[in-house]
């Protein structure tokens, strides 16, 4: 087993755990040389007329150099690196003459062969306040600095962090785009499978008498799938979705298509996006049936009570036949689709007379 270098507690920040999490967040350690950062260190060296400038990231046991102008070394141990001390505070860490500064008299980089005499480093601070490392300039001769030079190095340090934030944002955007692409592909595949299943059911249905009628019914249901997806993706792809705005948009669309008023009411609340498609298709099927067989205004209600979601579609028509049964094998394709969608939600569907005394109500209940 390789022994880990000892890091004195005096150079470990109080927020070290969170700071190291921030270092990992930027995923910059051990990445290849980068021209943008190399130009910053070259500019810093010219501005201060020094031979060495470094962009450092302080890891848990080492100081790794993202850019090292004028120095062939790629990393050093965290102790005795001066950058480890520089990240302890937000102010620039300045040693104008390290040979006479009590903070650095015993530091091997100062007292040893390297012969460091001048060091100034500004912390590379994240937007949430963690110091990842430093931008520093180094010389083997003593130097004095004025406030304008300090401000210049701080500005260059800000440029470094702007680049790191930009790259983090770009990487997250790419990751999110890939996730969304996979999610959309998955949902499109589900939709195609659903369309295939409906067409298969249609081909076995005995309710249609000719090919033209069969195709018209199939086209209507394929259109329903497209309509459900269009309203679903209006708010983007997420793990959960607020169902009421979605239902309101879908019903407004159906009201225009069917030329029938639809009243929507219900409780706000998030549902898994995997439930949105079957909910939308249930509403489409039941509202279309209500417009075809009912009369007057259609009501759509979506409620939550005792951990159960309750979708109710009611009409003001003549009501259901006395012998009507959703479970009956004699019912048409529409009822089979409705039962299949309710089962997909882990629930069930029932039909009752409209409680107001006219028309019918279809009730779908499933776990919240």
């Amino acid at each position: 087993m390789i022994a880990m270098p000892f890091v004195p507690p005096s150079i470990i920040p109080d927020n070290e755990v969170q700071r190291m999490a921030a270092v990992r967040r930027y995923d910059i350690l051990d990445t290849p040389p980068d021209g943008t950062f190399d130009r910053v260190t070259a500019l810093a060296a010219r501005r201060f007329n020094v031979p060495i400038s470094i962009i450092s990231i302080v890891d848990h046991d080492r100081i790794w150099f993202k850019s090292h102008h004028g120095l062939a070394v790629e990393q050093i141990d965290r102790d005795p690196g001066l950058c480890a001390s520089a990240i302890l505070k937000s102010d620039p860490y300045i040693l104008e003459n390290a040979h006479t500064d009590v903070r650095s008299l015993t530091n091997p980089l100062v007292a040893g062969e390297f012969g460091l005499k001048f060091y100034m480093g500004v912390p590379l601070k994240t937007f949430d306040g963690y110091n990842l490392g430093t931008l520093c300039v180094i010389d083997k001769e003593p130097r004095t600095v004025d406030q304008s030079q300090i401000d210049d190095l701080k500005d260059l340090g800000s440029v470094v962090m702007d680049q790191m934030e930009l790259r983090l944002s770009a990487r997250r955007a790419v990751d999110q785009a890939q996730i969304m692409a996979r999610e959309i592909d998955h949902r499109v595949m589900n939709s195609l499978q659903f369309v295939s299943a409906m067409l298969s059911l249609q081909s076995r249905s005995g309710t249609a008498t000719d090919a033209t009628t069969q195709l018209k019914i199939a086209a209507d249901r394929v259109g329903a799938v497209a309509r459900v997806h269009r309203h679903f993706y209006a708010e983007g792809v997420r793990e959960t979705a607020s169902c009421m705005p979605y239902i309101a948009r879908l019903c407004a669309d159906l009201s225009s298509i069917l030329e029938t008023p639809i009243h929507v009411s219900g409780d706000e609340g998030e549902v898994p996006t995997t439930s949105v498609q079957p909910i939308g298709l249930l509403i489409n099927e039941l509202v279309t049936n209500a417009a075809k067989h009912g009369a007057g205004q259609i009501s759509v209600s979506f409620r939550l009570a005792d951990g159960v979601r309750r979708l109710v579609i009611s009409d003001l028509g003549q009501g259901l036949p006395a012998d009507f049964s959703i479970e009956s094998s004699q019912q048409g394709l529409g009822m089979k689709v409705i039962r299949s969608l309710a089962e997909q939600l882990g629930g069930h569907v029932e039909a009752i007379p409209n409680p107001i005394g006219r028309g019918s109500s279809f009730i779908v209940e499933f776990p919240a």
Side-chain angles (χ1 to χ4, degrees):
M1 179 180 294
I2 300 175
M4 301 296 289
F6 172 71
V7 180
S10 60
I11 60 172
I12 298 178
D14 293 336
N15 62 357
E16 178 67 359
V17 173
Q18 295 84 356
R19 191 194 70 83
M20 282 305 306
V23 170
R24 299 288 182 257
R25 179 175 73 208
Y26 288 87
D27 195 25
I28 194 170
L29 289 170
D30 300 311
T31 54
D34 188 296
T36 300
F37 295 116
D38 289 344
R39 283 189 288 274
V40 171
T41 52
L43 179 60
R46 288 199 303 272
R47 173 66 177 91
F48 285 86
N49 193 26
V50 296
I52 299 171
S53 178
I54 296 171
I55 294 173
S56 70
I57 304 296
V58 180
D59 200 356
H60 63 91
D61 61 347
R62 61 173 177 156
I63 299 174
W64 178 77
F65 302 151
K66 175 59 181 174
S67 178
H68 43 98
H69 177 86
L71 189 70
V73 178
E74 295 184 352
Q75 66 180 42
I76 61 173
D77 290 344
R78 187 164 179 173
D79 182 44
L82 292 171
C83 296
S85 299
I87 67 166
L88 297 177
K89 296 181 179 180
S90 297
D91 298 328
Y93 190 85
I94 304 172
L95 301 172
E96 291 186 328
N97 188 346
H99 280 197
T100 61
D101 195 309
V102 294
R103 294 173 296 173
S104 56
L105 288 175
T106 60
N107 189 293
L109 297 175
V110 176
E113 182 179 352
F114 186 75
L116 181 148
K117 289 188 175 68
F118 169 76
Y119 174 93
M120 181 165 71
V122 293
L124 301 176
K125 180 178 289 188
T126 68
F127 70 93
D128 48 354
Y130 299 110
N131 291 338
L132 303 181
T134 70
L135 168 63
C136 65
V137 286
I138 296 171
D139 199 352
K140 296 184 180 183
E141 298 295 333
R143 288 185 172 275
T144 59
V145 294
D146 57 31
Q147 189 59 49
S148 67
Q149 290 175 305
I150 295 172
D151 291 341
D152 285 348
L153 194 64
K154 289 168 67 175
D155 286 343
L156 287 173
S158 297
V159 170
V160 172
M161 281 310 305
D162 288 345
Q163 283 293 318
M164 291 179 63
E165 296 288 358
L166 179 63
R167 291 163 195 229
L168 175 61
S169 297
R171 190 170 71 250
R172 285 177 169 172
V174 170
D175 290 345
Q176 184 64 28
Q178 291 175 340
I179 291 171
M180 290 183 67
R182 288 195 297 268
E183 181 70 12
I184 291 171
D185 285 347
H186 173 70
R187 297 196 185 285
V188 169
M189 181 59 69
N190 284 349
S191 294
L192 292 174
Q193 290 173 343
F194 187 81
V195 169
S196 176
M198 286 198 303
L199 294 176
S200 179
L201 282 171
Q202 188 71 47
S203 69
R204 298 195 298 270
S205 173
T207 59
T209 57
D210 57 64
T212 300
T213 304
Q214 292 268 7
L215 289 172
K216 175 63 170 61
I217 295 172
D220 287 345
R221 287 200 164 88
V222 171
V225 174
R227 183 162 52 249
V228 165
H229 268 269
R230 174 160 50 85
H231 289 291
F232 174 39
Y233 286 116
E235 292 187 357
V237 178
R238 298 181 298 161
E239 290 185 1
T240 62
S242 179
C243 218
M244 284 308 300
Y246 167 72
I247 291 174
R249 289 195 303 271
L250 178 60
C251 288
D253 197 8
L254 286 169
S255 178
S256 176
I257 293 170
L258 300 172
E259 298 182 344
T260 301
I262 302 174
H263 178 262
V264 178
S265 63
D267 301 324
E268 283 291 348
E270 298 280 313
V271 298
T273 53
T274 52
S275 298
V276 173
Q277 183 190 47
I279 290 171
L281 290 171
L282 274 166
I283 292 172
N284 184 90
E285 195 73 31
L286 290 168
V287 165
T288 301
N289 282 349
K292 181 178 179 181
H293 302 293
Q297 179 175 275
I298 298 170
S299 298
V300 176
S301 171
F302 189 68
R303 305 286 182 186
L304 172 63
D306 300 324
V308 175
R309 290 284 183 187
R310 197 166 195 257
L311 174 65
V312 182
I313 287 84
S314 302
D315 63 61
L316 300 175
Q318 297 302 310
L320 297 167
D323 61 347
F324 180 84
S325 170
I326 290 177
E327 289 74 23
S328 172
S329 60
Q330 300 303 313
Q331 296 301 328
L333 176 63
M335 286 300 108
K336 293 177 182 177
V337 169
I338 290 167
R339 287 174 58 191
S340 174
L341 290 167
E343 291 169 0
Q344 187 175 334
L345 291 168
H348 63 278
V349 58
E350 64 175 318
I352 62 172
N354 192 329
I356 68 171
R358 179 185 171 192
S360 60
S361 295
F362 283 80
I363 302 170
V364 182
E365 291 187 338
F366 58 92

